[in-house]
Amino acid sequence: MMKERKILLSESDIPDKWYNIVADMPNKPLPPLHPVTREPIGPEALGGLFPEELVRQEVTMDRWVDIPDEVRNIYSIWRPTPMYRAYGLEKALDTPAKIYYKYEGVSPSGSHKPNTAVPQAYYNKQAGVKRITTETGAGQWGSALSFACQHFDIECEVYMVRLSYDHKPYRKIMMNTWGAKVFPSPSEATEVGRKILAENPNTTGSLGIAISEAIERATSTPNTKYALGSVLNHVKLHQTIIGLEAIKQMEKAGDMPDIVIAPFGGGSNFAGLAFPFLRLNMVEGRNIRCIASEPTSCPKLTKGVFRYDFGDTVGMTPLLPMYTLGHNFVPAPIHAGGLRYHGAGVIVSQLLRDQLIEATSHDNLEVFEAGITFARAEGIIPAPEATHGIATAIREAQKCKEEGTSKTILFNLCGHGNFDMKAYEDYFAGKIVKHELTDEDIQKSLSQLDTPIIPDR
Amino acid sequence: MMKERKILLSESDIPDKWYNIVADMPNKPLPPLHPVTREPIGPEALGGLFPEELVRQEVTMDRWVDIPDEVRNIYSIWRPTPMYRAYGLEKALDTPAKIYYKYEGVSPSGSHKPNTAVPQAYYNKQAGVKRITTETGAGQWGSALSFACQHFDIECEVYMVRLSYDHKPYRKIMMNTWGAKVFPSPSEATEVGRKILAENPNTTGSLGIAISEAIERATSTPNTKYALGSVLNHVKLHQTIIGLEAIKQMEKAGDMPDIVIAPFGGGSNFAGLAFPFLRLNMVEGRNIRCIASEPTSCPKLTKGVFRYDFGDTVGMTPLLPMYTLGHNFVPAPIHAGGLRYHGAGVIVSQLLRDQLIEATSHDNLEVFEAGITFARAEGIIPAPEATHGIATAIREAQKCKEEGTSKTILFNLCGHGNFDMKAYEDYFAGKIVKHELTDEDIQKSLSQLDTPIIPDR
């Protein structure tokens, strides 16, 4: 008799509520501060950028937030996503551990990003918004938002870092296929862009510039709003659909994880899988370890400090209480572009501060080795971001082998690598190197901060 | 209440037998002929290239062939594949037709090809084969076979047309990730390759040359066999897993198709979905129309002749009774590389000759428009090959609208387009043009044939 690899749910099992962990947190996040006055600010500061319902979700204390039927209907294109028992990986590692993964790469754009893109597009549509602007680096978020806007007949304008626009054209074409307009950033479409181009016509752009362009368009054009793909509370809220499904699937498998693992960029991927399991810890007294996996080249959780910092590099956003390497920190150009962010989202930072979650880091070489081990054992070629979660799972499974214990490990396979084969090409060509980042480098970045410090309790 | 989009089966529903349509065909295929003597030949002629069990399957008259548990176990990585009710497409077309599609793009390599790559690798392993060689054009078949060989610890050697090797590196990297060796063809690894390179060092290669290299390696190296990804009977047999699952899914949906559609290259994609439904026609007296969709630039079914012809361009293979445009026919360089083959597999040709199936064709522009309509309505971006099936489904759905009838249409979405974004880029850049192919062009190609004619009955 064959052992079943996949734990599948039916569409009627798609959760009808997202989980808001803030309701259960012992210490609520500190308030954001105005970037200039440095006084606490409320949700009204976000009203120009986002529709009212998303601003409400950003600050809500409600434990559960209803998922509209229209959103669940579009979710049903790819949700519920499958959970796999990783028999192949277990065998390859010769470990007594039981390994499961939740596979978010089955979405049309190939990652977990549409989980929030769809409701963001929906609430904008409800608010009468005609156009949404955003920035994208490698293109995961931009393609997810393009897909979502298409379904609600909203115009989507994506400012894509010129370096990616020129070197990774396929994500751009994907966005075009779903009807989005994609501009290489800096562009002629905005004042910010024109100014930068006038000064430096050959600039390759940056995510910071792209954000500025998207925000300028959103705030200066009628019926236009802005959308962000990670970091913010409402984004994390939407991603909890992952963990809520995963709990049902673990129950169906007659199992429950001892360890839950997810890659960490801004936090939405990790939050999505881990928050519903953290609820079981806080409400039912369980003791599930939730581990965030970050690259050693961008170690905000494992080597950063907890203090107020800007969300962007220019210093225009509100000051947020978070683990940060400093908003001027420039990570090495690793292929896991989605993890190259200087700070951690507010909720996740507070949870780490309160020791309710753990964090670990992996070197660039280790994650590619983990990714290839996984691809050969399980078939699916993972995105470079996703390899970080795999690396942590392998490390924990190897510990089980050494200790002779059988733990149950669940990780978030947040996306496939079909658009990242250049990264694997570089690996096979020996071009992937360890990015040494010294404590001095980190101290140098942090020493430039003059933002408010948060005292130890 | 939400309408369910997906019709899912569990792993225990994976069929345990493939269906061999030859057992039920009213007229059995004519025998292959020796390329030189032109006398009928038996299966022993294939023994040097393929392991015994695959040769047996090539000629078996058994109606059902057991699927080994080891093969079903690897199938379970992605099978059963989902069937979708295409509510989005129905709405976009405003048609009374009910449209379903079977989605084979969920396999690790992104198409239906692993359905046969896995059993082919398995039977080779059983026979003690250490290395399998094959050719690949754009890379779909090569990557499927690499994936399959990886699982059975067989070395995989892929001869990839140099033009693709240089211009489409990502499929190559995918194969490397699964452990395969990929050679640009012509290569220095074979006598054929060295000879061609000596004469023309800058050649971009061809599928014909790549086949010759793969066969030379298989026949001149110990413990080495060759594998083919379409055309042959055993390949079609393995692909029937698609239609067998689809029948279960249609039954689960409480429906049954009036029309079954699939793209047509060598025939394995079409055979895979259609043969089990044709069985219902032949055994249960149903009247399901099965339509093969081909490009107007390579119209062997709609404009070719039924006669003996070679399977390759050089004229080394046995002569096969098939619909053909002539083995020297060179199709226009459309993006749907998998459909650029001059002939149709033997079984499908006999079925068309006997009017048990239908064929239709679509222009290059029409299929891209269909693909984009589909991507916007359903989310999934289809491979260029797959757009041909979509185009036929749209045509039939529009007929339903004109006639005011509600037919049930099922098509095979044989692969995603994640590795084909260059094709969509060309479309958006206005570079996709109609490829005019006149009847004179076809007659010119056919007039060069001196192979045996098959008289009308």
Side-chain angles (χ1 to χ4, degrees), chain B residues 179-399:
Chain B
K181 288 188 193 165
V182 187
F183 298 87
S185 170
S187 75
E188 294 286 348
T190 67
E191 209 167 302
V192 170
R194 287 190 293 272
K195 185 163 171 244
I196 292 166
L197 284 174
E199 288 164 6
N200 184 358
N202 298 319
T203 177
T204 51
S206 74
L207 204 56
I209 295 169
I211 292 175
S212 303
E213 289 198 273
I215 290 179
E216 179 189 319
R217 280 286 287 172
T219 51
S220 65
T221 322
N223 291 318
T224 303
K225 296 282 183 189
Y226 169 72
L228 198 66
S230 188
V231 181
L232 296 179
N233 298 356
H234 67 269
V235 178
K236 295 196 176 78
L237 174 75
H238 301 154
Q239 292 292 357
T240 59
I241 189 95
I242 303 172
L244 293 168
E245 284 180 8
I247 288 173
K248 291 189 189 187
Q249 286 164 309
M250 292 301 314
E251 283 169 352
K252 196 173 169 189
D255 211 341
M256 195 48 71
D258 300 298
I259 304 171
V260 168
I261 296 163
F264 196 94
S268 77
N269 175 341
F270 173 78
L273 182 63
F275 284 6
F277 287 98
L278 286 169
R279 179 179 165 270
L280 301 184
N281 287 355
M282 293 188 288
V283 175
E284 296 185 8
R286 289 192 188 244
N287 194 21
I288 300 165
R289 292 174 57 204
C290 293
I291 310 176
S293 306
E294 62 183 7
T296 51
S297 55
C298 193
K300 59 239 179 196
L301 297 177
T302 51
K303 301 239 176 168
V305 295
F306 184 63
R307 73 185 278 175
Y308 274 99
D309 199 3
F310 294 105
D312 64 337
T313 46
V314 187
M316 290 175 66
T317 70
L319 285 158
L320 302 170
M322 62 185 185
Y323 279 88
T324 179
L325 296 163
H327 60 275
N328 286 313
F329 180 79
V330 180
I334 57 170
H335 285 286
L339 310 187
R340 294 179 68 241
Y341 185 67
H342 68 277
V346 168
I347 297 174
V348 179
S349 291
Q350 186 65 49
L351 291 169
L352 183 63
R353 169 81 155 183
D354 291 340
Q355 301 184 350
L356 295 172
I357 63 170
E358 302 173 37
T360 189
S361 68
H362 298 277
D363 179 75
N364 212 22
L365 264 177
E366 184 187 359
V367 297
F368 271 96
E369 282 158 11
I372 285 163
T373 297
F374 183 83
R376 294 186 178 173
E378 292 289 318
I380 300 164
I381 299 178
E385 289 82 1
T387 61
H388 290 72
I390 297 169
T392 303
I394 289 178
R395 190 188 280 170
E396 292 294 330
Q398 284 168 337
K399 267 190 223 164

Side-chain angles (χ1 to χ4, degrees), chain A residues 168 335 368 375 381-384 416-428, chain B residues 169-178 418-419:
Chain A
K168 298 181 178 176
H335 284 286
F368 272 95
I381 299 178
H416 63 63
N418 288 356
F419 288 85
D420 304 285
M421 298 313 293
K422 179 72 173 66
Y424 286 88
E425 184 173 32
D426 286 352
Y427 174 79
F428 288 119
Chain B
Y170 294 164
R171 278 276 171 201
K172 176 189 70 180
I173 304 301
M174 189 177 217
M175 296 182 236
N176 293 150
T177 305
W178 286 320
N418 288 356
F419 287 85

Side-chain angles (χ1 to χ4, degrees), chain B residues 101-118:
Chain B
Y101 56 95
K102 179 78 168 156
Y103 184 37
E104 291 292 306
V106 294
S107 80
S109 65
S111 81
H112 63 297
K113 293 287 185 188
N115 295 335
T116 184
V118 171

